[in-house]
Amino acid sequence: EADIYQTPRYLVIGTGKKITLECSQTMGHDKMYWYQQDPGMELHLIHYSYGVNSTEKGDLSSESTVSRIRTEHFPLTLESARPSHTSQYLCASSTGGGELFFGEGSRLTVL
Amino acid sequence: QKEVEQNSGPLSVPEGAIASLNCTYSDRGSQSFFWYRQYSGKSPELIMFIYSNGDKEDGRFTAQLNKASQYVSLLIRDSQPSDSATYLCAVLVGDKLTFGTGTQLKVEL
């Protein structure tokens, strides 16, 4: 069973607030990913990391930033949340290849 | 042309029938192919992968790959209501995994 955790699961916040979505995995995976998914829509890769101190932007442009200071931790930060950031954010990890283990997601609503 | 294409559905099948889900991809350098299942409001989970041409069976699931036609499919035998979900096809090229938009499957009683 995958051990990847996301907090908070649900967050409702006002415009202009800074938020950090946490993602941690206990599997020792080097590769970690952040996807954005609106209800009923496709997954969009917004950030990925292949190891400590390595981060890259994904296919979908995002105003969020990420950091990877420890192997197990890959937080995503929005400095100033806007209603357009309302979405579900999914964190995933893998050892490589296409076998991704997803967290349960963080559903963000910005009022 | 999208890199990975799937019919969004919904695909409706009666309980006990075979559900056939299809996916085409554009990059001939694609190496590996994956099927993820995503229940409504949940995260995707990997159910099958296939690397070589032909069929790969796992319980009620069979993945089929035809690299010449750039086509991968997932068959679900004896479909159950619990199979109702969105099925995402994903294709690996190098280090990049690209997901399709998914096909919604509804298994009706």
Side-chain angles (χ1 to χ4, degrees):
Chain A
E1 184 161 320
D3 294 310
I4 178 164
Y5 308 100
Q6 290 187 241
T7 57
R9 290 288 314 282
Y10 303 92
L11 179 62
V12 181
I13 201 164
T15 297
K17 300 293 185 183
K18 177 179 178 179
I19 64 147
T20 296
L21 304 179
E22 302 286 351
C23 178
S24 295
Q25 51 96 3
T26 59
M27 296 173 283
H29 290 169
D30 286 327
K31 298 186 177 182
M32 296 189 73
Y33 310 84
W34 277 103
Y35 287 87
Q36 186 175 340
Q37 186 180 37
D38 293 323
M41 304 299 285
E42 61 191 291
L43 286 164
H44 291 287
L45 180 66
I46 51 174
H47 297 284
Y48 62 97
S49 167
Y50 285 171
V52 171
N53 294 325
S54 153
T55 62
E56 301 287 345
K57 289 187 180 294
D59 300 325
L60 182 68
S61 175
S62 173
E63 294 166 345
S64 58
T65 58
V66 292
S67 63
R68 190 87 183 276
I69 299 172
R70 302 197 315 267
T71 298
E72 62 270 23
H73 195 214
F74 191 40
L76 180 145
T77 298
L78 275 167
E79 290 293 333
S80 179
R82 294 208 300 270
S84 60
H85 297 139
T86 294
S87 189
Q88 168 138 285
Y89 294 83
L90 293 166
C91 181
S93 71
S94 81
T95 56
E99 186 177 9
L100 268 56
F101 296 91
F102 284 87
E104 292 187 303
S106 292
R107 187 170 295 281
L108 173 65
T109 302
V110 183
L111 303 175
Chain B
Q1 182 187 7
K2 283 193 169 183
E3 294 179 61
V4 181
E5 297 214 43
Q6 296 181 257
N7 187 318
S8 60
L11 171 67
S12 294
V13 300
E15 184 178 6
I18 296 174
S20 178
L21 303 158
N22 304 315
C23 171
T24 58
Y25 59 94
S26 59
D27 192 329
R28 286 195 173 273
S30 302
Q31 304 149 288
S32 313
F33 308 86
F34 303 81
W35 284 100
Y36 283 80
R37 177 176 61 202
Q38 186 173 25
Y39 291 113
S40 180
K42 301 293 186 182
S43 298
E45 57 177 333
L46 180 68
I47 53 172
M48 285 208 70
F49 59 88
I50 186 167
Y51 301 137
S52 306
N53 273 332
D55 294 0
K56 179 181 178 182
E57 189 173 315
D58 184 1
R60 295 188 296 113
F61 299 95
T62 299
Q64 298 176 317
L65 174 62
N66 184 325
K67 288 188 176 182
S69 300
Q70 295 175 248
Y71 179 92
V72 58
S73 63
L74 179 70
L75 302 179
I76 306 175
R77 289 183 298 282
D78 187 24
S79 295
Q80 301 296 311
S82 59
D83 295 325
S84 297
T86 296
Y87 290 80
L88 304 171
C89 173
V91 175
L92 186 68
V93 180
D95 269 340
K96 184 181 177 186
L97 185 69
T98 301
F99 284 91
T101 54
T103 298
Q104 185 184 5
L105 173 66
K106 292 184 177 181
V107 180
E108 298 167 334
L109 294 170

